[in-house]
Amino acid sequence: ADGLHAPVLPWDHKKPLATFDHAAVRRGYQVYKEVCAACHSLDRIAWRNLVGVSHTENEVKAMAEENEYTDGPNDVGDMFQRPGKLSDYMPRPYANEEQARAGNAGALPPDLSLMIKARHGGADYVYSLLTGYQDPPAGIEIREGLNFNPYFPGGAIGMARVLYDGLVEYEDGTPATTSQMAKDVTVFLSWAAEPEMDDRKKMGMKAVTMLAILTGLSVYLKRHKWASMK
Ligand code: HEM
């Protein structure tokens, strides 16, 4: 069965000329890092992608350096460990699929990079999924290790509810309610699925502005040129 259809929410970044809510992207990164990253990878995002979006370059460098990456081979043919740098991609929680399934009762936590694009309902679906955990209706048995969530197709999902009020502490003082964290991490994942969206909208705005100026100019010149004709 299909999941319950997620209600459509008024996401700022879906408005025609609006860019992402960058404070929300920053809070959402925090939720991803402190909660989701324990099980989900984000393979398509490199540290450098966060620079100027949610964090400063110095902040991102420090965040990257907290992780160890395997590099090499060096001059003598050995692999070695080094701290992360801006060009490295987000670290993965598990070495391989086998380990990931073993840690999740057989279920595989999917990579979240393109999740917003991959699922029907996109941001609305992910928000509803994160906030939609509830007791199964009378008469519905949920197998051990699965959890009832009406938004998940089939209703029984291998991921348990992860967001609870107060789970993270936001540095900007925003109260970390379940719905606030779900919103912020969904905005973060929407950005991750389309990191070029802001630039695209800004370019579009410039193009429209230039065209308006050129149109105005050509109307003015045409009138001026033909003004002497009756
Ligand atoms: C699946 C998001 C945290 C384990 C999923 C899916 C999404 C998601 C969107 C895909 C659902 C679908 O297939 O339609 C998130 C977010 C998290 C988070 C945003 C943080 C706020 C976690 C954590 C764990 C986990 C901490 C492990 C303890 C899983 C597993 C699945 C899954 C095992 C596969 C479920 C199945 O196919 O039955 N998650 N997740 N997730 N997640 Fe998470």
Side-chain angles (χ1 to χ4, degrees):
D2 277 355
L4 194 61
H5 204 271
V8 176
L9 299 166
W11 301 100
D12 283 340
H13 60 268
K14 291 203 180 161
K15 295 173 190 152
L17 295 176
T19 50
F20 283 107
D21 172 348
H22 289 241
V25 175
R26 186 178 171 105
R27 290 191 302 268
Y29 167 74
Q30 188 184 344
V31 176
Y32 167 72
K33 167 154 200 264
E34 292 182 17
V35 186
C36 328
C39 303
H40 291 276
S41 57
L42 193 64
D43 284 349
R44 297 170 67 107
I45 297 298
W47 292 108
R48 64 181 155 72
N49 293 127
L50 297 172
V51 175
V53 173
S54 51
H55 297 75
T56 65
E57 182 165 335
N58 283 338
E59 285 174 325
V60 182
K61 275 188 180 150
M63 283 147 56
E65 281 168 9
E66 283 168 20
N67 300 274
E68 291 263 290
Y69 286 80
T70 305
D71 208 340
N74 61 14
D75 295 347
V76 288
D78 292 332
M79 303 301 281
F80 58 93
Q81 295 291 108
R82 57 151 179 85
K85 39 190 188 187
L86 288 178
S87 55
D88 289 316
Y89 283 77
M90 297 275 143
R92 292 175 173 171
Y94 303 106
N96 52 48
E97 180 177 336
E98 197 185 355
Q99 215 188 75
R101 285 190 190 277
N104 289 278
L108 182 67
D111 183 77
L112 293 182
S113 310
L114 295 174
M115 185 51 68
I116 300 290
K117 286 186 165 172
R119 290 293 182 273
H120 178 72
D124 297 325
Y125 167 69
V126 172
Y127 175 86
S128 287
L129 186 77
L130 293 171
T131 53
Y133 286 87
Q134 48 189 267
D135 291 335
I140 302 230
E141 275 292 322
I142 299 291
R143 193 156 57 77
E144 178 69 29
L146 296 183
N147 310 271
F148 180 69
N149 189 311
Y151 296 99
F152 187 68
I157 181 168
M159 173 172 108
R161 174 175 172 179
V162 290
L163 296 179
Y164 291 90
D165 290 352
L167 185 62
V168 308
E169 193 175 329
Y170 285 135
E171 59 190 5
D172 66 2
T174 303
T177 58
T178 299
S179 55
Q180 182 71 46
M181 289 181 285
K183 179 209 150 194
D184 292 339
V185 78
T186 301
V187 172
F188 171 71
L189 293 176
S190 301
W191 166 79
E194 240 179 328
E196 74 297 340
M197 185 203 82
D198 278 1
D199 288 340
R200 208 173 62 225
K201 280 186 178 167
K202 284 181 195 157
M203 283 299 279
M205 190 60 208
K206 279 185 199 158
V208 169
T209 308
M210 285 303 279
L211 286 172
I213 291 170
L214 291 174
T215 306
L217 192 65
S218 81
V219 168
Y220 169 78
L221 287 175
K222 184 226 167 224
R223 292 234 172 108
H224 183 74
K225 190 172 167 86
W226 295 96
S228 57
M229 309 291 280
K230 283 281 156 185

